[in-house]
Amino acid sequence: MRVDMQEALEKFKGHMALHKKSFEAISEYLTAEEKCLYVNSTVAKITTNLGSKSKTEKLPGVLCLTDKQIIFAYGALMSHKMYTTNLDNVLMMDIGGDGFSGGHLEVSTQMRQFDFLIKYKKEMIREVQLVFDEAIANAKNADAKEGSTVSFADKIKQIAELHERGLLTDNEYVVKKKQLLELM
């Protein structure tokens, strides 16, 4: 396993449990330029939007955050599969939990919504949120510096689309819209 993955696993008191092959698959997939910021075993509920239909899967596997992308690897029969999302494609990220039974990390993109189970106490949940928030903000700022052509109006349209598809609740839509307005 890569040194940065081992460090992230230790920092967040993670465990490899039954997912050693998924950790290895992620380690082999990452480029030398990427830095692993978070990694741990989890269970994910993944909803894929297929036009007017959607498909939901619940899978045990490994969640990895790098400075460039979010990766979820899971075992499928004799092989391993991955969902990957570049951080600049993340439309919304939310994390919450009661600190007793853990919490959930929700990530929304144009095509998918991920709901990852995170088993931490409240202080560690906040730490995970800070790492994800910072990585996503840094990726979006890097895009802005490179002259990204995504306008403010496009971002509002994207979250409106997610709301119309039912991927964002009314409350989540209002919060995300308010966050975008505050960035102006």
Side-chain angles (χ1 to χ4, degrees), residues 158-177:
Q158 286 175 340
I159 64 165
E161 251 182 56
L162 288 172
H163 182 250
E164 288 171 13
R165 289 182 181 173
L167 294 175
L168 293 178
T169 65
D170 291 340
N171 188 40
E172 290 169 331
Y173 172 71
V174 170
V175 168
K176 188 64 178 170
K177 189 175 173 182

Side-chain angles (χ1 to χ4, degrees), residues 26-76:
I26 290 173
S27 185
E28 291 171 11
Y29 174 79
L30 297 179
T31 65
E33 296 81 35
E34 281 181 279
K35 178 169 174 40
C36 177
L37 306 172
Y38 174 87
V39 66
N40 203 350
S41 296
T42 188
V43 174
K45 185 171 98 176
I46 303 166
T47 303
T48 304
N49 300 313
L50 309 164
S52 62
K53 297 179 182 178
S54 64
K55 173 183 148 189
T56 300
E57 304 172 276
K58 191 171 184 179
L59 305 164
V62 175
L63 171 62
C64 178
L65 169 70
T66 73
D67 55 345
K68 298 182 182 351
Q69 62 184 326
I70 296 171
I71 304 162
F72 176 71
Y74 64 98

Side-chain angles (χ1 to χ4, degrees), residues 76-94:
L77 299 175
M78 299 302 284
S79 65
H80 279 78
K81 296 188 178 186
M82 289 187 210
Y83 284 99
T84 62
T85 300
N86 290 338
L87 293 179
D88 55 352
N89 291 332
V90 173
L91 299 176
M92 186 195 85
M93 192 279 303
D94 189 28

Side-chain angles (χ1 to χ4, degrees), residues 1 3-15 23 35-40 65 119-121 123-132 134-135:
M1 183 185 322
V3 173
D4 57 347
M5 286 181 72
Q6 187 64 43
E7 289 170 352
L9 194 63
E10 290 170 11
K11 176 181 178 180
F12 291 99
K13 298 173 178 53
H15 55 89
F23 278 94
K35 178 169 174 40
C36 177
L37 306 172
Y38 174 87
V39 66
N40 203 350
L65 169 70
K119 295 181 179 180
Y120 292 118
K121 295 195 185 274
E123 306 80 43
M124 190 63 83
I125 290 173
R126 278 194 289 266
E127 186 71 24
V128 172
Q129 181 172 10
L130 290 172
V131 170
F132 273 80
E134 185 176 332

Side-chain angles (χ1 to χ4, degrees), residues 130-149:
L130 290 172
V131 170
F132 273 80
D133 283 342
E134 185 176 332
I136 292 168
N138 288 343
K140 292 187 184 278
N141 288 339
D143 268 2
K145 288 178 184 174
E146 292 173 8
S148 176
T149 58

